[in-house]
Amino acid sequence: MALLKEWRDVAYSETANKGDLQRLWTAYFQEEKEIYAQLLQNPDEVVEGTVDELADKFDVTLMTMTGFLDGINDSLKEKNPIDTMEADTRVQLGFDKELLYKNMVAAGADWLYNLEEWNAIFDEEKRKELYKEQKSSTTVVKGDKIYPNDPCPCGSGKKYKKCCGKNKAS
């Protein structure tokens, strides 16, 4: 069975004891934080190896490393084959720093985007800018409401009710 499916079956189980799941995620988030802290100390180094080798390097279980690789994959310059990954699959952790920061913000992972290691990568102003960019990218902005007597937005010069707003059913 591919590692990712195994990880997701455990981590997102609908039938598991809620307390067990909470403990799993609490432990995972702590280990994830430690891995990111190490990676961010030398953010331009591309860490490579098999999934098993990386689990050993960061002193975590194979399942924790699988979850980590699943989480970081969208922030990598070159995606890893996470859907088919096995313990001996070679992977790399060459991440885009700005994208990683924004993805941490998008995930609401304040324990990650507030890591002290970010201070050496981006100054406070840049971090605020990236934070705002990410938050505004998910904000839905509604257009102004068009009323029946307003000029039609198509540019015809007619009132909206006599043009595009005309009831087609009648």
Side-chain angles (χ1 to χ4, degrees):
M1 176 189 310
L3 289 175
L4 186 63
K5 180 175 179 352
E6 199 176 325
W7 161 253
R8 288 180 176 171
D9 285 350
V10 171
Y12 301 102
S13 173
E14 297 285 325
T15 58
N17 173 298
K18 299 296 181 215
D20 290 344
L21 271 181
Q22 186 174 15
R23 282 186 287 283
L24 175 133
W25 281 105
T26 300
Y28 172 80
F29 289 143
Q30 183 58 46
E31 291 175 318
E32 176 190 46
K33 181 179 176 180
E34 292 167 12
I35 295 170
Y36 276 119
Q38 289 179 53
L39 288 175
L40 293 172
Q41 287 174 4
N42 192 355
D44 296 319
E45 176 189 356
V46 178
V47 177
E48 296 181 76
T50 65
V51 178
D52 204 27
E53 290 168 348
L54 292 183
D56 287 344
K57 175 180 175 58
F58 293 105
D59 195 26
V60 295
T61 66
L62 190 59
M63 281 296 98
T64 296
M65 182 50 62
T66 301
F68 180 82
L69 290 166
D70 184 23
I72 197 173
N73 210 43
D74 286 339
S75 302
L76 299 177
K77 293 176 183 173
E78 290 180 37
K79 308 275 186 259
N80 287 314
I82 60 169
D83 291 325
T84 58
M85 174 171 79
E86 297 294 343
D88 61 352
T89 303
R90 289 202 62 76
V91 293
Q92 57 76 34
L93 300 176
F95 55 90
D96 176 308
K97 293 179 285 252
E98 289 189 6
L99 183 57
L100 179 60
Y101 189 85
K102 287 179 177 182
N103 285 341
M104 288 174 170
V105 170
D110 59 338
W111 65 95
L112 297 178
Y113 67 77
N114 285 328
L115 280 168
E116 198 167 300
E117 287 77 6
W118 282 113
N119 297 339
I121 299 169
F122 300 127
D123 61 25
E124 187 177 353
E125 190 175 313
K126 180 66 173 177
R127 290 192 311 275
K128 283 181 180 177
E129 175 189 322
L130 292 171
Y131 183 92
K132 277 179 81 171
E133 270 180 41
Q134 176 55 43
K135 289 297 188 180
S136 66
S137 72
T138 58
T139 303
V140 177
V141 179
K142 284 187 171 181
D144 292 336
K145 179 159 175 54
I146 304 168
Y147 293 94
N149 288 325
D150 289 346
C152 191
C154 77
S156 67
K158 297 179 181 179
K159 288 184 178 185
Y160 178 69
K161 68 182 179 186
K162 298 284 188 178
C163 189
C164 296
K166 198 173 201 173
N167 186 349
K168 305 286 185 210
S170 51

